[in-house]
């Protein structure tokens, strides 16, 4: 499982971890039932505090992405794909909300915003 | 949370310097860092934990089943017989510690590049610290108490040393107390940190929590925020820097102000040199 | 052999050998094959004990030993054991000195005289060592050399003074030694207990 941490990204490290693991799960790199490294092993590998990895894993568990079995380890949950989609939809909506707020503040029209979204979506 | 050692209200008076009611907790399964400048009292409180220094008052509680001989120690100066060769130390420790592993000891010596035929007094500072580490890792321990262990080590050796600490911490029954003023090392390895100054603990917190909440407010002129939020400050010709512990709050309330992240080093220097 | 004694012997083995040689020579030179030959070695036992205490202090060994679970009581009792062995080596050097003397001189020693001097030497050696142990723990073990000089100087002075005082007063000096042995044994114990108290309260 590949995790790259950036000290300069401004995002808290535990969030970077949760985002990347979620990304792996969504892209299929991590399948339901796969084992994740233990919190300590991950902390050792990334050279960060075990409290950080613990927080990341706790968050992931709360959101239903992973499950911890006592004495066995952490596993990727067998979640419905629709649940994941719903989660991401929510996050996308939050991001768009921020863009909309900023647009309104700066007097940018709805049409302008829609144009930008279209370009970005089709551009890739 | 289970603790390997818990010190409560430890006081020790030396006249010109004293420990003033120090509370220090070393949780099991985590690395606790102790930061402070020279003379802050780090070595003293560590020695109070093991009984080398006799405290005037306060309590030191060990976890059930933790005995002194299960503590691995690294002191700021190598305490081994100076005229003995490194290989002869094996003879001492095999008689001193149950479960002393001579093979492991010699393997560590080799790994650290320490000539076993060299006398202890002939080792460089960094080498003598590594020697202590080799000894600490060669008998079964549950707690490591390390006093400035990386002083004198080159960066590659420090990296290797921190790696070995991470390996040690894979066992969640283990705990480490490490004091250092090389804050970058603690940034890499500590889970919890405590700042010491003049024999007192200024703040104890999770390291991440500390870095997330402390910040440096940089401004010219008068203090633009509520004085209650400021811990200390340093004034220079062109500006004043304020140490605050609610970075997020201040940023949200005053988006126009410059609020930088504070590293452990920033916090330590502000504590040590700032005006209160 | 326990860790502490092992450490001490390996650290000072060179000093011990030098002591054995010097004490043998001194015992030959000053003892002249007489009973006093057995006294010289123990008299300088304290210097060796002082060296060992000095080395401990210079390295900062005590804080390590105590922090690793060795009790302060064990530490001081091991110094006493060391003193015992060094004193015995001192007495041995007396035999060596006498043996060397006997090469060119006729030696006639009363067994009782030798026994009394040996016992006295033994208690005297332990006494001076206990004073050294106390002084090093109470004050700075770095000054062990100074303490040794004071101890030996004081004892030499006392011996000479006592010798002058007693010749003429007592004709039979032999019974003096057992009495002195008891006195020095008691004094030694006092210093040892004082040393133990000092060590128990010492910050390392």
């Amino acid at each position: 499982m590949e995790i790259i941490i950036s000290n300069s990204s401004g995002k808290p490290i535990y969030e970077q971890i949760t985002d990347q693991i979620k990304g792996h799960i969504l892209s299929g790199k991590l399948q339901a039932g796969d084992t994740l490294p233990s919190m300590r092993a991950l902390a050792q590998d990334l050279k960060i505090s075990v409290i950080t990895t613990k927080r990341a894993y706790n968050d992931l568990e709360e959101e239903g992405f992973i499950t911890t079995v006592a004495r066995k380890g952490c596993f990727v949950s067998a979640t419905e794909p629709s649940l994941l989609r719903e989660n991401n939809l929510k996050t996308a909506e939050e991001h768009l909300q921020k863009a909309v707020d900023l647009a309104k503040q700066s007097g940018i029209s709805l049409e302008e915003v829609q144009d930008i979204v279209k370009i970005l979506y089709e551009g890739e | 949370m289970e603790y390997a050692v818990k010190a409560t209200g430890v006081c020790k008076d030396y006249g010109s310097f004293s420990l003033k009611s120090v509370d220090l907790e070393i949780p099991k399964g985590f690395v606790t860092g102790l930061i402070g400048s020279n003379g802050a009292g780090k070595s003293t409180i560590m020695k109070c934990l093991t009984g080398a220094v006799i405290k005037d008052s306060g309590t030191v509680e060990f976890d059930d089943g933790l005995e002194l001989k299960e503590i691995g120690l690294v002191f700021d100066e190598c305490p081994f017989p100076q005229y003995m060769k490194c290989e002869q130390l094996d003879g001492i420790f095999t008689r001193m510690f149950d479960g002393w592993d001579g093979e492991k000891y010699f393997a560590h010596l080799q790994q650290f590049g320490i000539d076993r035929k060299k006398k202890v007094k002939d080792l460089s500072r960094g080498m003598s610290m590594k020697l202590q580490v080799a000894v600490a890792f060669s008998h079964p321990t549950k707690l490591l108490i390390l006093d400035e262990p990386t002083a004198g080590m080159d960066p590659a050796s420090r990296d290797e040393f921190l790696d070995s600490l991470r390996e040690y911490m894979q066992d969640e029954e283990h705990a480490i107390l490490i004091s250092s003023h090389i804050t970058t090392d603690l940034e890499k390895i500590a889970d919890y940190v405590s700042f010491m100054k003049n024999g007192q603990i200024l703040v104890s917190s999770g390291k991440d929590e500390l870095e997330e909440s402390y910040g440096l407010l940089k401004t010219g002129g008068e203090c633009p925020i509520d004085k209650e939020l400021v811990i200390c400050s340093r004034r220079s010709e062109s500006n004043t820097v304020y140490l605050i512990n609610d970075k997020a709050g201040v940023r949200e309330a005053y988006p126009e102000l410059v609020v930088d992240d504070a590293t452990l080093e920033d916090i330590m220097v502000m504590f040590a040199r700032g005006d209160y | 052999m326990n860790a502490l004694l092992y450490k001490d012997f390996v650290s000072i083995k060179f000093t011990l050998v030098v002591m054995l040689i010097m004490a043998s020579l001194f015992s030959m030179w000053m003892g002249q094959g007489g009973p006093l030959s057995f006294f010289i070695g123990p008299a300088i036992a304290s210097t060796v004990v002082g060296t060992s205490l000095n080395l401990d202090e210079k390295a900062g060994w005590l804080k390590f030993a105590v922090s690793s679970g060795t009790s302060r009581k064990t530490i001081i009792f091991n110094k006493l054991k060391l003193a015992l062995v060094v004193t015995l080596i001192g007495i041995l050097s007396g035999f060596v000195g006498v043996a060397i003397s006997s090469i060119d001189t006729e030696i006639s020693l009363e067994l009782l005289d030798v026994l009394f001097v040996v016992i006295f030497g033994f208690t005297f050696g332990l006494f001076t060592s206990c004073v050294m142990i106390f002084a090093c723990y109470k004050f700075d073990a770095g000054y062990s050399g100074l303490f040794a000089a004071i101890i030996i100087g004081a004892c030499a002075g006392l011996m000479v003074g006592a010798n002058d005082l007693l010749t003429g007063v007592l004709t039979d000096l032999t019974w003096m030694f057992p009495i002195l042995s008891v006195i020095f044994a008691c004094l030694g114990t006092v210093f040892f207990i004082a040393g133990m108290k000092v060590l128990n309260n010492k910050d390392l």
Side-chain angles (χ1 to χ4, degrees), chain A residues 12 14 38 40-52 54-55, chain B residues 29-30 159 163 166-167 169-172 188 190-192 206-208 212:
Chain A
Y14 73 89
S38 73
R40 285 189 182 273
L42 185 62
Q44 182 183 22
D45 197 63
L46 293 175
K47 300 190 196 245
I48 56 178
S49 166
V50 71
I51 298 179
T52 314
K54 195 172 185 177
R55 192 169 173 184
Chain B
F30 297 101
D159 192 62
D163 272 344
R166 287 184 191 104
E167 184 63 46
M169 289 311 297
Q170 288 307 296
D171 184 337
E172 46 184 50
K188 289 179 195 165
D191 299 311
Y192 293 96
K207 182 202 63 157
D208 287 346
E212 275 164 31

Side-chain angles (χ1 to χ4, degrees), chain C residues 103-123:
Chain C
I103 295 175
D104 60 354
T105 336
E106 265 294 318
I107 307 288
S108 62
L109 290 167
E110 287 283 324
L111 188 63
L112 203 62
D113 283 345
V114 170
L115 191 66
F116 282 163
V117 176
V118 163
I119 292 174
F120 172 63
F122 186 74
T123 51

Side-chain angles (χ1 to χ4, degrees), chain B residues 12 14 47 50-54 68-69 71 73 75 77-84 88 91-93 95-97 135, chain C residues 1-4 6-7 10-11 13 55 58-61 63-70 72 199-204:
Chain B
K12 175 72 186 177
Y14 281 114
K47 288 193 217 169
T50 57
V53 162
I54 298 168
L68 278 176
K69 55 182 182 212
I71 301 182
L73 298 152
F75 289 95
E77 275 173 13
C78 187
F80 304 145
Q82 299 291 300
Y83 288 87
M84 285 179 80
Q88 290 175 305
I92 302 178
F93 297 126
R95 291 169 170 83
M96 200 164 159
F97 297 119
V135 171
Chain C
M1 199 195 318
N2 72 38
L4 299 174
Y6 177 86
K7 168 187 83 67
V10 173
S11 297
K13 59 180 186 232
L55 289 174
K58 283 225 176 82
W61 166 259
K63 63 177 184 280
F64 176 82
V66 168
S67 298
S68 300
T70 313
R72 291 160 192 250
L199 184 61
N200 280 336
N201 291 317
K202 189 169 175 163
D203 292 323
L204 305 167

Side-chain angles (χ1 to χ4, degrees), chain B residues 65-262:
Chain B
L66 175 64
E67 290 171 27
L68 278 176
K69 55 182 182 212
E70 292 172 306
I71 301 182
L73 298 152
V74 174
F75 289 95
D76 51 357
E77 275 173 13
C78 187
F80 304 145
Q82 299 291 300
Y83 288 87
M84 285 179 80
K85 297 188 187 153
C86 295
E87 60 187 3
Q88 290 175 305
L89 297 179
D90 177 57
I92 302 178
F93 297 126
T94 192
R95 291 169 170 83
M96 200 164 159
F97 297 119
D98 302 329
W100 171 260
D101 189 343
E103 270 180 41
K104 224 182 194 181
Y105 171 65
F106 288 115
H108 278 305
L109 287 186
Q110 192 168 32
Q111 185 194 354
F112 293 149
I114 300 174
D115 181 0
R116 51 190 276 175
K117 301 230 177 276
K118 243 191 171 155
K119 291 198 177 147
V120 172
K121 69 176 173 66
D122 294 330
L123 294 175
S124 68
R125 178 94 202 267
M127 284 294 193
S128 66
M129 301 312 274
K130 288 198 226 178
L131 174 64
Q132 290 188 71
V133 173
V135 171
F137 281 152
S138 301
H139 66 110
T141 57
K142 292 188 182 146
L143 170 66
L144 295 180
I145 296 184
L146 316 168
D147 192 357
E148 310 268 357
T150 55
M153 280 192 200
D154 62 271
S157 298
R158 269 195 261 137
D159 192 62
E160 186 182 5
F161 172 66
L162 293 179
D163 272 344
S164 58
L165 292 187
R166 287 184 191 104
E167 184 63 46
Y168 183 80
M169 289 311 297
Q170 288 307 296
D171 184 337
E172 46 184 50
E173 288 295 307
H174 288 170
I176 295 179
L177 172 63
I178 172 170
S179 83
S180 188
H181 44 64
I182 303 175
T183 51
T184 41
D185 283 346
L186 293 182
E187 243 151 46
K188 289 179 195 165
I189 194 80
D191 299 311
Y192 293 96
V193 291
S194 291
F195 282 88
M196 266 191 103
K197 180 181 176 176
N198 285 338
Q200 275 176 301
I201 301 273
L202 296 177
V203 66
S204 291
S205 165
K207 182 202 63 157
D208 287 346
E209 218 179 292
L210 211 67
E211 286 182 328
E212 275 164 31
S213 55
Y214 276 68
L216 296 172
L217 169 62
K218 297 177 180 168
T219 175
E222 288 295 310
C223 179
I225 63 172
D226 189 352
K227 285 253 159 79
E228 293 284 302
L229 297 170
V230 173
I231 298 172
C232 59
S233 62
R234 285 185 78 192
R235 156 164 272 126
S236 70
E237 277 292 315
S238 46
N239 64 21
T240 310
V241 181
Y242 298 94
L243 181 66
I244 56 174
N245 63 5
D246 183 11
K247 186 165 62 183
V250 170
R251 277 179 177 158
E252 208 178 311
Y254 306 88
E256 74 284 3
L257 292 179
V258 175
V259 178
D260 274 351
D261 292 333

